[in-house]
Amino acid sequence: MSDRVYIFDTTLRDGEQSPGATMNAKEKVRIASRLEALGVDIMEAGFPAASEGDFAAVQDVAAVCQKSSVAGLARTSKSDIDKAWGAVQHAKHPRIHTFIATSDIHLEHKLKMDRDQVVEAAVNAVKYAKSFTDDVEFSAEDGSRSDRDYLCRVFEAAIAAGATTVNLPDTVGYAIPHEFAELVKYVMEHTPNIHQAILSVHCHNDLGLATSNTLAAIQAGARQAEVTVNGIGERAGNTSLEEVVMAMHTRPNYLDFHTNIVTEQIHPASRLVRMITGIMVQPNKAIVGANAFAHEAGIHQDGVLKNPMTYEIMRPETVGLSKNNMVLGKHSGRHALRSHLADMGYVLSDEELQDLFIKFKDLADKKKHVVDEDLEALVSIGILRTSDKYSLDYLHVSAGTGVKPTATVGLKTNGDVLMGAEFGNGPIDAAFNTIAKMTGTTSEMLRFTVSALTGGTDAQGEVTVRLQEGKNIALGRGVDPDIITASAKAYVNGINRLEYLRDNPVISDKDVVENE
């Protein structure tokens, strides 16, 4: 059996199903380019049947990827498969990924189908997908809670119909590592034609065991791991790409497998996904958390100074944390900025560079040094935003002891600038009240978070807000040296994302009822 493990990244699909993490097409393309540089073998670009916006975004991703396979998700209906193929057909390496649930609880309560009907649906879907491309993946949703023999029967039928990859998902994060490994072994031993396909696993983190289950499955014979950057995803998230890859990289004596991942690209990919989705990474998150390579205890610091391996089992440089010696400031020119951005993985058009250069100069006037985190923020906010209905044009606040906090706001929309003013409990609340009245939003703020992008008193403030309007949840993000301005930008960004969701309603592959 080969020791090669294929990395199937679903950040753009399952990761996007994190509440509020909806990305526009340009943001998806930017992440896709980073994932390709990271070396993922397959990226699942979206669920084309979910919305016209998702269809278009998958098309855009398919058009730019030259090395990675691009997959579109589809239920077992012909209409879904047609949508998936329409979205990925121009990819250099297209894949159709079709799925249907196989657990009795899903058959009875969601699908209203018997076992024979599900097998028939799976076979028909794979055959139909195979008429478009040789690269077809079939997933048995809720596989970890399915009857073992029935699961083998479904996989055998799917492979016979032409599936080149069969996926065993732990859809609700129910499995325990030893149990999941035994299930993988059973499937390998009792599916007669399993050698004709790659067995994949897709684990969720509801019990905090996604990475452990994935590694156990790989040891048991699975050769494709379905993961997301930073472990983002529905509920408690998906298996973390960086954890699976670095576990194999760091412990080859026990996990003797290899991937095509360029580990030095892990941290840049993590930063980009965090900035675009607005989903913060907890400081003590393995591999990519802010504290992952920080040492505060004196004993630890002493040991690391003498030999980093005393308390670091991997070098920071291995995951892309090596520091660039080039310092950017207000005297830096376009060439230096373009070169530095290229080193970070951003290749911008002349128009994008010019727009970014203006923002860079404005920031450099406020900060002595502009660091990578600042540039990431400028790119993600200044370049990646598309089709925003509102933009912050003017903000003035008045607050202090004995003063009723007041905000005056100018919003640019459709080429016009609207002005408004309101009171609040504080300057930020006043700004939010003004923006809410001007935009007519009925959204509820679920969360408001403030952090600093870097250290130092001149650090840019980063604000994220989570807004809910009906069933739609959107994350808004704003960055500025002034925290009140950053807050206003974040709120406007969140409202723009809600506008996008209203125009591009999305359905979840976990919530739909299959009746084809």
Side-chain angles (χ1 to χ4, degrees):
M1 182 178 293
S2 170
D3 61 357
R4 164 75 186 282
V5 174
Y6 292 87
I7 298 299
F8 177 110
D9 183 274
T10 185
T11 301
L12 299 176
R13 201 277 302 171
D14 213 344
E16 192 189 25
Q17 290 180 200
S18 302
T22 301
M23 308 169 218
N24 61 43
K26 198 168 185 180
E27 290 167 337
K28 278 198 170 188
V29 168
R30 190 71 71 177
I31 290 179
S33 297
R34 177 65 74 181
L35 292 175
E36 193 161 54
L38 180 60
V40 303
D41 299 290
I42 309 101
M43 68 178 76
E44 191 167 48
F47 187 13
S51 70
E52 288 304 314
D54 212 24
F55 179 89
V58 176
Q59 272 190 322
D60 291 347
V61 170
V64 301
C65 291
Q66 298 299 308
K67 298 178 182 178
S68 303
S69 296
V70 178
L73 187 70
R75 291 164 288 177
T76 53
S77 68
K78 283 190 174 182
S79 61
D80 266 29
I81 294 170
D82 286 337
K83 281 280 191 179
W85 177 245
V88 303
Q89 63 179 320
H90 297 301
K92 191 167 184 178
H93 308 287
R95 172 179 291 196
I96 295 176
H97 180 194
T98 186
F99 73 97
I100 192 169
T102 54
S103 66
D104 288 336
I105 190 170
H106 276 247
L107 267 64
E108 178 182 354
H109 297 285
K110 188 180 82 169
L111 301 180
K112 310 295 184 183
M113 297 167 68
D114 62 34
R115 290 185 174 187
D116 290 340
Q117 289 174 316
V118 168
V119 172
E120 182 181 5
V123 168
N124 289 340
V126 171
K127 285 183 176 179
Y128 188 60
K130 195 75 173 182
S131 69
F132 297 112
T133 176
D134 288 333
D135 191 355
V136 176
E137 177 172 343
F138 169 77
S139 284
E141 186 184 7
D142 206 26
S144 61
R145 295 194 296 174
S146 299
D147 175 79
R148 288 186 172 193
D149 291 322
Y150 178 62
L151 187 61
C152 294
R153 176 189 166 194
V154 176
F155 280 158
E156 181 183 3
I159 295 169
T164 50
T165 303
V166 288
N167 179 41
L168 172 51
D170 182 27
T171 303
V172 292
Y174 183 72
I176 303 297
H178 177 74
E179 171 193 40
F180 199 53
E182 288 298 318
L183 178 58
V184 168
K185 289 178 183 177
Y186 192 89
V187 168
M188 296 290 292
E189 293 170 359
H190 293 83
T191 307
N193 54 359
I194 193 68
H195 62 283
Q196 298 176 20
I198 292 173
L199 180 61
S200 175
V201 289
H202 177 115
C203 298
H204 280 260
N205 205 38
D206 297 70
L207 294 176
L209 297 171
T211 296
S212 298
N213 283 329
T214 299
L215 294 174
I218 290 170
Q219 288 182 299
R223 287 297 178 268
Q224 178 176 286
E226 305 202 358
V227 296
T228 62
V229 175
N230 297 338
I232 66 172
E234 289 190 282
R235 306 183 311 278
N238 289 57
T239 303
S240 168
L241 178 149
E242 57 274 9
E243 292 174 10
V244 169
V245 169
M246 291 310 296
M248 290 187 282
H249 185 276
T250 306
R251 296 299 307 277
N253 58 322
Y254 190 70
L255 298 166
D256 190 17
F257 311 101
H258 72 272
T259 72
N260 278 349
I261 295 297
V262 181
T263 62
E264 291 80 7
Q265 292 293 330
I266 286 176
H267 205 271
S270 170
R271 282 204 312 265
L272 182 62
V273 168
R274 177 180 68 82
M275 290 195 170
I276 286 179
T277 63
I279 298 176
M280 305 302 293
V281 176
Q282 67 192 65
N284 61 331
K285 167 75 170 66
I287 316 298
V288 295
N291 295 344
F293 295 95
H295 304 277
E296 184 170 341
I299 294 175
H300 286 209
Q301 292 173 345
D302 180 64
V304 168
L305 289 172
K306 292 175 178 175
N307 185 334
M309 294 304 290
T310 53
Y311 288 101
E312 290 182 352
I313 60 173
M314 66 193 87
R315 293 176 60 82
E317 294 83 0
T318 307
V319 296
L321 274 172
S322 55
K323 297 298 182 183
N324 192 308
N325 291 325
M326 183 183 293
V327 176
L328 294 177
K330 63 181 181 180
H331 298 298
S332 299
R334 286 180 180 81
H335 180 73
L337 179 61
R338 184 191 292 274
S339 176
H340 194 86
L341 288 169
D343 289 341
M344 293 172 62
Y346 296 113
V347 179
L348 305 183
S349 67
D350 290 340
E351 182 180 351
E352 288 175 328
L353 182 67
Q354 174 61 22
D355 183 55
L356 191 72
F357 187 69
I358 294 171
K359 293 180 173 64
F360 162 73
K361 282 292 190 179
D362 181 60
L363 179 61
D365 283 336
K366 301 173 184 176
K367 293 191 65 179
K368 184 176 181 180
H369 300 306
V370 178
V371 297
D372 286 359
E373 288 83 356
D374 296 318
L375 293 177
E376 291 272 11
L378 289 177
V379 171
S380 64
I381 292 179
I383 301 299
L384 297 179
R385 299 289 180 241
T386 59
S387 304
D388 284 353
K389 182 175 181 179
Y390 303 103
S391 63
L392 184 67
D393 185 71
Y394 174 83
L395 175 66
H396 178 269
V397 295
S398 175
T401 304
V403 177
K404 182 71 173 177
T406 310
T408 304
V409 176
L411 288 182
K412 186 176 291 185
T413 179
N414 299 322
D416 298 324
V417 177
L418 308 178
M419 298 297 294
E422 283 293 328
F423 298 108
N425 293 324
I428 292 176
D429 186 54
F432 285 178
N433 289 342
T434 308
I435 294 168
K437 183 176 180 180
M438 295 173 70
T439 59
T441 182
T442 59
S443 59
E444 175 188 0
M445 184 170 297
L446 303 180
R447 189 181 70 189
F448 173 79
T449 306
V450 181
S451 61
L453 276 182
T454 59
T457 57
D458 63 348
Q460 291 200 91
E462 180 179 37
V463 175
T464 58
V465 298
R466 175 174 289 185
L467 307 179
Q468 181 169 14
E469 189 173 74
K471 293 183 178 180
N472 291 329
I473 297 177
L475 284 171
R477 180 171 172 272
V479 175
D480 196 88
D482 183 293
I483 201 64
I484 300 174
T485 302
S487 300
K489 288 180 177 179
Y491 193 46
V492 172
N493 179 228
I495 290 172
N496 281 323
R497 286 180 175 269
L498 285 175
E499 291 279 344
Y500 175 83
L501 288 173
R502 278 197 295 270
D503 295 337
N504 299 273
V506 176
I507 56 174
S508 166
D509 60 297
K510 300 296 191 301
D511 296 332
V512 296
V513 176
E514 284 197 64
N515 51 26
E516 289 85 5

